[in-house]
């Protein structure tokens, strides 16, 4: 366990998050896609343990990618929706149980939730599973 797919049309955000994960959680493998259509291929062809997907992107939004991933058999509790929108809006669009979490990608407290998720994955990868 330890492969993360980040799907976001903001390349600098993917770069910063990927660098952080690689520095702090070296047992985790990170793949970034700025093109949502490439993400569909990655979801189909690779074994992804955690999907981080931006809600609003051109061509294909995060909701459609979430639905596609679930249709392929991915556990919805391994999917995190990221957005610049406020948490009230996000929780209206994604009620509890829709996915693991919906987070504002710019709020520090929300980033702490991602760190908890990454830390848990890192511990499991270190334990061999």
């Amino acid at each position: 366990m330890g492969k993360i797919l980040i799907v976001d049309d903001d390349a600098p955000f993917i770069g910063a998050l990927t660098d952080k994960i690689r520095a702090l959680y070296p047992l985790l493998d990170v793949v970034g896609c700025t093109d949502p259509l490439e993400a569909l291929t990655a979801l189909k062809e690779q074994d992804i343990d955690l999907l981080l997907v931006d809600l609003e992107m051109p061509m294909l939004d995060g909701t459609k990618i979430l639905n596609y991933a679930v249709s392929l058999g991915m556990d919805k509790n391994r999917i995190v929706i990221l957005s610049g929108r406020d948490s009230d809006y996000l929780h209206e669009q994604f009620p509890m149980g829709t996915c693991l979490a919906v987070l504002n990608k710019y709020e520090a407290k929300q980033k702490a939730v991602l760190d908890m998720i990454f830390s848990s994955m890192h511990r499991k990868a270190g334990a061999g599973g």
Side-chain angles (χ1 to χ4, degrees):
M1 175 179 198
K3 187 157 199 164
I4 300 170
L5 175 62
I6 305 170
V7 185
D8 197 312
D9 59 325
D10 183 349
F13 176 79
I14 288 179
L17 187 55
T18 298
D19 290 347
K20 177 183 178 175
I21 294 168
R22 288 181 177 153
L24 297 175
Y25 310 102
L27 299 177
L28 302 180
D29 182 20
V30 185
V31 175
C33 285
T34 56
D35 181 347
L37 297 176
E38 287 179 18
L40 299 180
T41 301
L43 284 166
K44 191 171 185 177
E45 296 177 355
Q46 299 179 38
D47 189 19
I48 304 297
D49 297 303
L50 179 67
L51 172 61
L52 304 177
V53 62
D54 187 24
L55 177 58
E56 296 168 324
M57 295 180 287
M59 294 185 289
L60 202 58
D61 69 20
T63 303
K64 290 178 182 161
I65 294 173
L66 177 146
N67 291 334
Y68 180 75
V70 171
S71 78
L72 292 175
M74 185 171 198
D75 183 344
K76 63 185 176 180
N77 290 318
R78 294 188 182 271
I79 303 171
V80 175
I81 299 291
L82 302 172
S83 177
R85 298 265 192 158
D86 66 65
S87 60
D88 288 339
Y89 174 84
L90 293 173
H91 288 107
E92 280 178 24
Q93 299 301 309
F94 301 93
M96 189 177 285
T98 305
C99 56
L100 176 62
V102 287
L103 303 172
N104 179 300
K105 59 186 176 180
Y106 304 113
E107 290 182 16
K109 288 182 182 178
Q110 303 280 303
K111 289 180 181 179
V113 173
L114 278 178
D115 282 332
M116 287 189 294
I117 294 167
F118 300 148
S119 179
S120 174
M121 288 181 72
H122 193 257
R123 280 193 311 273
K124 288 178 184 176

